[in-house]
């Protein structure tokens, strides 16, 4: 969310940022609402001052036994009381209007983010690893998993409907191994603190990260007003909400391996087969809370941490800088990491790493106290997948598949698999 004073002082910059997002300018309409609010506040202050003065004059009039003046002043005070009450109600309405308008305006992109309307405008930053060559036609992950007898979409359909899967045996263990490997790497080598956060959150938490109100249809909601998290970013980032922390506590680096839930609204017809796009999936999330001047360096660091997972697993990938039309709502700049899937003969997203500036911090009222003194400052927040566990499972299956239908376990995962080196048909 934006500071309305910043919009007022930087109207042209604000509107240019929205234009780059493909949106109409909004500074003038936002400032007009704020002008109306300011004028109302001035009128309320004047009315309150006059009410206070009139109240004192009543005492003087009564002391002078001037009942006519006292009565007139008492009527004026009563009228002013009415005016103030109505004005305060109007102020609350205007505050809500301004908040509602600001809450659905996306973050503006950093200057180094390329322009573009959609994913075709994304720019490749680097490509790591060479896709392997097969002496047979590589299969897609669902063909491999079903042939192994360890991936069951039909059973999941009977239980929960479309976009669910049941994995079992060595394949279920492999998914667990991948998540454990990621957590161990991020906590032991990269300095992240492991967290086991709630999977159910209230409105204000989803609002704080920018998921509400604009993206309510993308979330699942319980009948007693909880939201199922679409990513652990929601829970982890909100750990600093409504706080003023010491700068010495920064940077805070947090990670969690959780189930995630998404309605996939608008995804009809996309990735209907397999595990690419599901209602329930698991992900290892990375969140950083930093001082503003550290945010860009932290973004590069976080992205490298996520990339390292793929390097250790021997999976080819490329890193893309997203254009203005493909960025997430709360992001100032985003890198997508795309892993090579030979079964699809394509690179597919496995992680998004975003720097959000103080956009989320303002929604959460999360600040820090500078070590050299001065007023509290809003923190900057970052988030990224380190990585999506299910999609990593897909990548392992497709890149390590063998002609006989078996799957070789990457060396980095074998300690988590009890030494199993290969998954074969049960």
């Amino acid at each position: 969310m934006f500071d309305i004073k910043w919009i007022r002082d930087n109207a042209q910059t604000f509107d240019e940022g929205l234009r780059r997002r493909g949106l109409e300018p909004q500074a003038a309409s936002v400032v007009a609402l704020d002008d109306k609010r300011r004028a109302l506040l001035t009128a309320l202050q004047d009315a309150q001052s006059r009410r206070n003065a009139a109240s004192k004059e009543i005492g003087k009039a009564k002391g002078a036994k001037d009942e006519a003046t006292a009565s007139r002043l008492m009527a004026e005070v009563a009228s002013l009381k009415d005016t103030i009450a109505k004005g305060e109600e109007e102020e609350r309405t205007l505050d809500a209007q301004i908040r509602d308008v600001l809450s659905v305006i996306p973050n503006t992109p950093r200057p180094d983010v390329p322009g573009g309307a959609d994913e075709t405008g994304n720019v490749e930053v680097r490509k790591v690893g060479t896709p392997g060559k097969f002496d047979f036609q590589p299969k897609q992950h669902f063909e491999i998993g079903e042939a192994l007898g360890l991936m069951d979409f039909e059973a999941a359909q009977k239980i929960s409907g479309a976009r669910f899967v049941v994995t079992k045996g060595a394949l279920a263990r492999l998914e667990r191994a991948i998540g454990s490997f990621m957590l161990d790497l991020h906590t032991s080598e990269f300095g992240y603190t492991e967290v086991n956060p709630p999977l159910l959150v209230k409105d204000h938490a989803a609002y704080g990260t920018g998921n509400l109100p604009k993206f309510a249809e993308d979330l699942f909601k319980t009948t007693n007003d909880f939201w199922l998290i679409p990513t652990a970013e929601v829970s982890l980032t909100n750990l600093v909400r409504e706080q003023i922390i010491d700068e010495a506590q920064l940077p805070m680096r947090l990670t969690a391996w959780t189930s995630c839930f998404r309605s996939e609204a608008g995804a009809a017809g996309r990735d209907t087969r397999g595990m690419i796009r599901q209602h329930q999936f698991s992900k290892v999330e990375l969140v950083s809370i930093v001082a503003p001047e550290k945010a860009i360096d932290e973004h590069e660091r976080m992205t490298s941490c996520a990339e390292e997972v793929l390097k250790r697993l021997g999976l080819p990938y490329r890193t893309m800088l997203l254009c203005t039309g493909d960025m997430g709502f709360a992001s100032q700049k985003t890198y997508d990491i795309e892993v090579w899937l030979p079964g699809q003969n394509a690179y597919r997203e496995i992680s998004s790493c975003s720097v959000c500036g103080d956009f989320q911090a303002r929604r959460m009222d999360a600040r820090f106290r500078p070590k050299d003194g001065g007023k509290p400052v809003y923190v900057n927040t970052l988030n990224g997948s380190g990585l999506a566990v299910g999609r990593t499972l897909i990548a392992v299956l497709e890149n390590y598949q063998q002609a006989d239908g078996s799957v070789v376990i990457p060396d980095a995962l074998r300690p988590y698999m009890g030494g199993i080196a290969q998954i074969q048909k049960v």
Side-chain angles (χ1 to χ4, degrees):
M1 181 177 285
F2 290 94
D3 175 16
I4 200 162
K5 182 180 184 303
W6 184 88
I7 295 175
R8 180 181 289 278
D9 295 341
N10 301 273
Q12 188 173 347
T13 301
F14 176 70
D15 281 343
E16 172 59 17
L18 296 185
R19 184 198 65 74
R20 295 190 70 213
R21 281 272 198 172
L23 300 173
E24 294 297 316
Q26 297 194 47
S29 58
V30 171
V31 169
L33 268 177
D34 191 44
D35 284 341
K36 189 175 180 181
R37 177 181 169 276
R38 288 182 174 205
L40 177 62
L41 285 174
T42 299
L44 280 173
Q45 288 169 355
D46 291 344
Q48 187 63 55
S49 295
R50 177 55 196 153
R51 181 186 174 192
N52 293 340
S55 296
K56 291 178 181 178
E57 290 171 19
I58 290 171
K60 291 180 182 178
K62 284 184 175 291
K65 300 192 183 303
D66 185 351
E67 293 301 329
T69 299
S71 294
R72 177 179 57 77
L73 289 168
M74 288 171 70
E76 183 183 2
V77 167
S79 175
L80 285 167
K81 183 180 178 182
D82 237 18
T83 299
I84 291 168
K86 289 177 182 175
E88 288 174 342
E89 180 58 36
E90 187 179 351
E91 182 194 358
R92 284 190 288 271
T93 300
L94 277 172
D95 282 342
Q97 281 183 314
I98 293 170
R99 187 172 60 252
D100 289 348
V101 168
L102 292 177
S103 70
V104 296
I105 297 175
N107 207 346
T108 51
R110 290 183 55 81
D112 57 336
V113 173
D118 53 36
E119 61 185 18
T120 59
N122 297 342
V123 176
E124 184 179 297
V125 176
R126 55 187 161 269
K127 187 178 286 184
V128 178
T130 303
K133 294 183 178 179
F134 295 84
D135 55 9
F136 59 93
Q137 181 61 42
K139 296 177 180 178
Q140 294 196 56
H141 67 280
F142 51 84
E143 298 172 304
I144 300 166
E146 288 177 329
L148 288 170
L150 300 175
M151 190 178 288
D152 196 333
F153 293 96
E154 186 177 340
Q157 171 85 28
K158 292 175 182 177
I159 298 167
S160 304
R163 297 195 187 277
F164 290 93
V165 67
V166 172
T167 57
K168 50 193 174 183
L171 210 54
R173 182 170 185 174
L174 178 59
E175 187 167 5
R176 173 161 54 94
I178 290 169
S180 297
F181 164 69
M182 290 177 185
L183 277 184
D184 285 352
L185 181 63
H186 294 312
T187 56
S188 65
E189 295 192 32
F190 300 147
Y192 287 86
T193 298
E194 183 176 352
V195 179
N196 185 11
L199 305 186
L200 297 170
V201 298
K202 288 294 193 178
D203 289 5
H204 60 263
Y207 176 89
T209 47
N211 299 91
L212 290 181
K214 192 172 178 65
F215 303 102
E217 68 170 6
D218 296 325
L219 309 180
F220 285 111
K221 190 175 186 180
T222 69
T223 55
N224 54 344
D225 293 329
F226 286 99
W227 299 90
L228 278 70
I229 60 168
T231 162
E233 170 202 343
V234 178
S235 303
L236 294 179
T237 310
N238 273 278
L239 288 175
V240 294
R241 72 173 296 110
E242 298 170 12
Q243 292 186 54
I244 301 176
I245 59 180
D246 290 330
E247 186 174 1
Q249 294 177 257
L250 302 178
M252 292 176 60
R253 297 184 178 117
L254 310 171
T255 185
W257 175 19
T258 68
S259 293
C260 305
F261 306 89
R262 296 184 186 174
S263 69
E264 294 297 343
R270 298 176 61 191
D271 298 308
T272 53
R273 288 208 66 186
M275 293 176 60
I276 288 284
R277 196 178 300 275
Q278 296 201 298
H279 290 312
Q280 176 186 324
F281 58 97
S282 69
K283 184 155 66 81
V284 171
E285 185 71 4
L286 306 175
V287 162
S288 293
I289 313 295
V290 301
E293 67 274 11
K294 303 290 187 182
I296 296 307
D297 286 345
E298 185 69 15
H299 189 212
E300 299 296 328
R301 181 190 186 279
M302 174 180 284
T303 304
S304 71
C305 292
E307 290 180 353
E308 186 61 26
V309 176
L310 294 172
K311 290 178 181 177
R312 301 278 179 103
L313 294 177
L315 297 171
Y317 69 90
R318 67 181 184 181
T319 299
M320 308 292 290
L321 174 58
L322 298 196
C323 70
T324 53
D326 200 29
M327 287 166 47
F329 176 79
S331 176
Q332 288 181 330
K333 180 180 179 180
T334 297
Y335 290 121
D336 264 13
I337 304 171
E338 300 178 346
V339 69
W340 175 252
L341 298 183
Q344 290 192 16
N345 194 37
Y347 286 96
R348 295 300 302 268
E349 179 199 336
I350 198 166
S351 172
S352 280
C353 296
S354 300
V355 56
C356 301
D358 64 6
F359 187 82
Q360 294 176 323
R362 289 182 178 278
R363 298 170 80 102
M364 299 184 301
D365 191 22
R367 294 173 288 169
F368 72 94
R369 187 177 290 100
K371 58 188 173 187
D372 56 358
K375 294 173 60 177
V377 178
Y378 284 105
V379 300
N380 276 208
T381 61
L382 302 94
N383 63 80
S385 306
L387 305 162
V389 176
R391 291 195 178 190
T392 306
L393 174 67
I394 290 169
V396 169
L397 291 178
E398 294 198 11
N399 282 277
Y400 284 90
Q401 62 181 296
Q402 305 297 302
D404 63 0
S406 64
V407 176
V408 172
I409 306 297
D411 289 344
L413 298 178
R414 291 185 187 181
Y416 298 88
M417 293 291 292
I420 297 173
Q422 194 169 31
I423 298 177
Q424 297 178 316
K425 186 173 181 179
V426 292

